[in-house]
Amino acid sequence: MKFGGTSVGTPERMKEVARIVTQEGKPVFVVLSAMSGTTNALVAIADHLYKKQPSQANKIIDELQEKYLAHVDELLSTEERRQQLRQFLQKKMDFLREFTQGMFTSFEEKTIVAQGEVMSTHMVTAFLQEQGFDCVLLDALDFMRTDKDGEPNEPAIRQLLGDVMRQAGQHQVYITQGFICRNAFGEVDNLLRGGSDYTASLVGVALDADEIQIWTDIDGLHNNDPRVVEHTEPVRQLNFGEAAELAYFGAKILHPTCIQPAKRAGIPVRLKFTMEPEAPGTLITSELTHGVMKAVAAKDNVTAIKIRSSRMLLPTGFLRKVFEIFESYQTPVDLVATSEVGVSVTIADDKYLDDIVADLQKYGHVIVDRDMCIVCVVGDLNWTNVGLETLAIDALRDVPVRMISYGGSNHNISLLIRAEDKRRALQQLSKKLFGAGE
């Protein structure tokens, strides 16, 4: 069971998490994120230290200390437990202040950012133990490992976690930190932002869990963006492939990489609502509901690049050269559309856009369209299901579409539109595909 930052954002929320993880009485393994806002504060501390601004860093540490120590009285009821937790939190704040004294590098930054999860897990563990529950805290740095490429080392995680669990013995609740790990060199590292979902999936697979639950602040994955479209509804069941497409193309509830280990192991992933634990949420499995459109997602801040060949290269060489340029700048391409004389692609990371365009201009004429949006329609879009893709296209008959990508998977059709048309497009898709507003 993984709980995100808002789920442990206040003492009240932490108590609710404690109630959820203990209500069924069977053994659970709980992965916690940092309290909401904490990771951003820790990143800001590191940023000030990079800039040699220790006084600004100390100011943020002082604010964090005041916030955390104020939570202790609200969370715990016995003075002995309060004192123990205060001492622990004080040590963490003193530890952070030590970084203001000397040299500061990216290695130290990873250690600083890891402290949010360390503090939240200690707080929830302290509350559960005070309430008399059989709860043990396991240090994620003892078993979460990445390899030399920064990818999770699943065999090592399984072996190390097994050793840690045997040493800990039988308990009702096991708690650990999400996001943080050690890399191939034994240094403190992390699974990038949103990585607590990834931790939960990797731990669930290592433990051969019955189910992996991701608890969030929304009732499952909705069939459209509820911030933009009214009357959206939770999707009760998704195929692993459908969920992966939605996560990649904008559904914020799920980290795109997190379901891959679960998919390989065939372990169901369930998205649950912390504020309404009894709600069924969204279940992600290997099952596919045939002939049904499931959901729509949108990816913002997209840039489209069209390269029209100058015919200096044969068609076989042209595409290779184009994609080598994106690879050289470590810039992923989302959508691709080709013709006899050119290719259009989209990117979400425009950090090296000017350099990429300069290199592409060696091979043809380049046109760049900024402020674009990818709308992704997900469901059983196998090409043998005649007519399903036309529903999405027909819904956008009065919206200018810059690109269409279809056939790359059996689960989605993606359409590139202007960002200013996003709201209208999502609303029309909901009406056409799901009957919303009718």
Side-chain angles (χ1 to χ4, degrees):
M1 305 171 78
K2 174 261 175 179
F3 294 87
T6 54
S7 296
V8 292
T10 65
E12 182 183 3
R13 301 302 322 144
M14 289 181 173
K15 290 177 182 180
E16 178 61 15
V17 166
R19 190 188 71 77
I20 291 170
V21 303
T22 56
Q23 63 184 356
E24 293 188 21
K26 58 185 179 183
V28 293
F29 197 107
V30 180
V31 175
L32 300 181
S33 297
M35 289 179 68
S36 52
T38 299
T39 301
N40 288 338
L42 294 170
V43 169
I45 290 168
D47 187 51
H48 284 306
L49 294 178
Y50 269 127
K51 296 173 180 174
K52 298 187 174 11
Q53 299 170 338
S55 60
Q56 287 94 324
N58 275 316
K59 184 173 182 290
I60 299 175
I61 295 171
D62 290 342
E63 291 169 355
L64 267 184
Q65 177 173 319
E66 184 178 351
K67 172 185 171 182
Y68 271 84
L69 291 180
H71 288 327
V72 173
D73 288 347
E74 193 178 339
L75 182 67
L76 302 176
S77 54
T78 63
E79 191 52 41
E80 181 183 359
R81 292 278 186 180
R82 286 173 175 173
Q83 193 56 31
Q84 289 172 353
L85 184 56
R86 282 192 204 103
Q87 288 174 354
F88 173 79
L89 294 173
Q90 185 64 56
K91 280 183 182 177
K92 288 289 125 186
M93 299 303 162
D94 292 342
F95 178 63
L96 292 175
R97 288 189 181 92
E98 289 176 10
F99 291 99
T100 67
Q101 307 299 319
M103 289 288 292
F104 189 77
T105 69
S106 60
F107 299 115
E108 284 80 17
E109 180 182 13
K110 298 284 180 64
T111 301
I112 284 178
V113 174
Q115 300 313 305
E117 281 74 14
V118 173
M119 290 190 288
S120 66
T121 50
H122 270 81
M123 293 173 76
V124 174
T125 301
F127 176 74
L128 280 165
Q129 290 176 345
E130 185 184 62
Q131 297 300 306
F133 289 103
D134 181 16
C135 172
V136 63
L137 175 59
L138 307 179
D139 189 344
L141 298 180
D142 288 342
F143 56 87
M144 290 303 298
R145 292 289 184 275
T146 53
D147 58 24
K148 57 182 174 54
D149 298 318
E151 296 297 321
N153 186 337
E154 293 191 44
I157 292 170
R158 180 179 286 269
Q159 180 181 341
L160 290 169
L161 181 55
D163 294 342
V164 168
M165 294 286 279
R166 280 188 291 273
Q167 189 172 349
Q170 291 290 322
H171 298 276
Q172 180 186 347
V173 181
Y174 301 84
I175 292 183
T176 198
Q177 301 86 19
F179 177 60
I180 66 175
C181 62
R182 290 192 185 277
N183 60 28
F185 308 102
E187 301 155 342
V188 175
D189 211 325
N190 58 60
L191 299 171
L192 305 180
R193 301 299 284 264
S196 290
D197 289 354
Y198 211 175
T199 300
S201 187
L202 292 163
V203 167
V205 170
L207 295 174
D208 297 318
D210 296 328
E211 186 172 283
I212 297 164
Q213 296 181 354
I214 309 294
W215 289 77
T216 68
D217 54 1
I218 188 171
D219 178 19
L221 196 151
H222 280 230
N223 60 9
N224 210 324
D225 188 342
R227 297 167 300 181
V228 177
V229 179
E230 294 182 355
H231 311 300
T232 64
E233 295 180 354
V235 181
R236 293 308 179 198
Q237 191 275 332
L238 285 168
N239 173 271
F240 279 116
E242 293 171 336
E245 297 283 2
L246 288 168
Y248 184 75
F249 284 107
K252 304 294 186 200
I253 188 174
L254 196 62
H255 196 261
T257 54
C258 92
I259 58 174
Q260 296 305 323
K263 177 182 177 181
R264 290 194 296 270
I267 297 175
V269 176
R270 192 182 296 273
L271 309 179
K272 295 281 284 179
F273 187 23
T274 314
M275 314 298 178
E276 197 177 319
E278 293 74 27
T282 298
L283 182 64
I284 304 169
T285 68
S286 56
E287 293 182 18
L288 179 65
T289 306
H290 293 287
V292 174
M293 301 293 242
K294 292 289 187 67
V296 177
K299 188 170 189 173
D300 299 318
N301 303 314
V302 172
T303 299
I305 306 170
K306 179 190 286 187
I307 311 102
R308 191 169 66 243
S309 172
S310 58
R311 295 190 177 274
M312 291 172 59
L313 294 168
L314 294 173
T316 51
F318 174 64
L319 281 179
R320 176 172 56 82
K321 287 291 186 183
V322 165
F323 286 108
E324 279 178 350
I325 289 169
F326 288 98
E327 181 183 7
S328 69
Y329 290 101
Q330 294 291 292
T331 301
V333 169
D334 291 328
L335 304 186
V336 181
T338 63
S339 72
E340 188 267 336
V341 294
V343 59
S344 286
V345 303
T346 68
I347 60 174
D349 180 2
D350 62 358
K351 181 178 180 181
Y352 301 109
L353 178 62
D354 291 343
D355 295 322
I356 289 170
V357 169
D359 286 354
L360 289 172
Q361 285 172 338
K362 300 172 186 174
Y363 305 109
H365 179 62
V366 179
I367 299 172
V368 176
D369 293 315
R370 296 176 181 266
D371 299 320
M372 305 297 284
C373 170
I374 295 172
V375 174
C376 172
V377 180
V378 164
D380 180 23
L381 280 159
N382 189 297
W383 69 278
T384 57
N385 293 328
V386 178
L388 278 184
E389 73 283 355
T390 61
L391 291 174
I393 296 170
D394 185 50
L396 303 185
R397 59 185 176 274
D398 61 347
V399 175
V401 176
R402 167 73 172 75
M403 278 175 67
I404 298 175
S405 178
Y406 173 60
S409 86
N410 288 333
H411 303 297
N412 97 64
I413 178 169
S414 296
L415 305 103
L416 183 70
I417 62 174
R418 296 177 303 202
E420 64 195 68
D421 294 324
K422 170 185 167 180
R423 178 178 294 272
R424 180 160 56 109
L426 294 186
Q427 290 170 346
Q428 291 179 188
L429 282 164
S430 267
K431 186 174 181 179
K432 182 76 172 179
L433 300 178
F434 313 123
E438 294 182 352

